[in-house]
Amino acid sequence: MCGIIGYIGKQQATPILIEGLRRLEYRGYDSAGVAVLQNRELSTRKKKGKIDEGLAKVVQASPIYGQVGLGHTRWATHGPPTDENSHPHLDESGKLAVVHNGVIENFDTLKDRFLKAGHTFKSATDTEVLAHLIGHHYQMLTDAGKAGWSGEGTHPLTKAVMSALGEVIGTYGIGVICTDHPGIMVGARRGSPLIVGVGDGEHFLASDAS
């Protein structure tokens, strides 16, 4: 069980994410982290331990600014509680950030495939494998010249997430952001709680109280 919070809007994302994680900490207190889109780059802060003893101090010492971001508080499943295993996780390119609640049962098979393709992993989590899988599908759209968006049809980041999840065995509630599309956040769920909040010029993604 883990907690997910996402924000996209007009306000600074980091304070909203930290406060959201505090409210979700009962879902996991092994570690916590945030990823924020800052000047079209992903900035992450992650720390083992409870939020106010770890992540909050890291963010205070090294702030990140941006209006789109994801946060996560972790109850460890794959991989022990460490800074490296904390979410969010990035794909191979560093363009995509993913937070995840659930278990990817076939992560080892997927990981072997990407290791053979030359990917480098920085954690022992199934979630980082999922990030690489989504990034792989997004790169295929990019190589095909289909990663741009004219405003019509399914967004390419959504397409990449949908295609990647078609290869996944397990349960998930996820949030995904990408440096190429700073105005977009994608959420998806199967067997794990996830809710969307719609506000005035801002939107939220979160684990519910289950």
Side-chain angles (χ1 to χ4, degrees), residues 24-169:
L24 289 168
E25 192 167 20
Y26 70 95
R27 296 186 63 89
Y29 45 81
D30 288 335
S31 61
V34 295
V36 174
L37 277 172
Q38 183 178 22
N39 299 323
R40 298 186 74 91
E41 293 184 358
L42 280 168
S43 295
T44 61
R45 304 287 186 271
K46 307 195 287 186
K47 193 65 179 175
K48 176 184 175 182
K50 293 185 177 181
I51 293 163
D52 286 332
E53 298 169 1
L55 176 64
K57 291 183 178 180
V58 170
V59 170
Q60 184 178 21
S62 181
I64 44 178
Y65 303 97
Q67 297 169 317
V68 180
L70 294 169
H72 187 274
T73 184
R74 182 173 186 247
W75 184 279
T77 52
H78 290 102
T82 64
D83 294 350
E84 293 78 12
N85 287 337
S86 306
H87 299 209
H89 289 288
L90 307 183
D91 75 318
E92 179 72 6
S93 72
K95 289 184 175 182
L96 285 88
V98 176
V99 291
H100 167 230
N101 173 38
V103 176
I104 307 302
E105 296 175 12
N106 61 330
F107 85 99
D108 50 351
T109 302
L110 294 169
K111 186 173 184 176
D112 286 345
R113 172 176 136 197
F114 289 122
L115 285 171
K116 290 176 181 177
H119 286 220
T120 300
F121 291 88
K122 300 177 181 179
S123 78
T125 68
D126 55 343
T127 302
E128 188 181 12
V129 177
L130 178 60
H132 280 237
L133 180 63
I134 294 172
H136 168 70
H137 282 271
Y138 182 75
Q139 186 61 50
M140 288 196 296
L141 290 173
T142 301
D143 293 344
K146 298 179 180 179
W149 193 49
S150 64
E152 299 180 358
T154 304
H155 192 278
L157 185 57
T158 303
K159 287 182 180 178
V161 172
M162 292 171 64
S163 297
L165 292 178
E167 296 193 53
V168 166
I169 300 171

Side-chain angles (χ1 to χ4, degrees), residues 35 180 204:
D180 289 344
F204 302 84

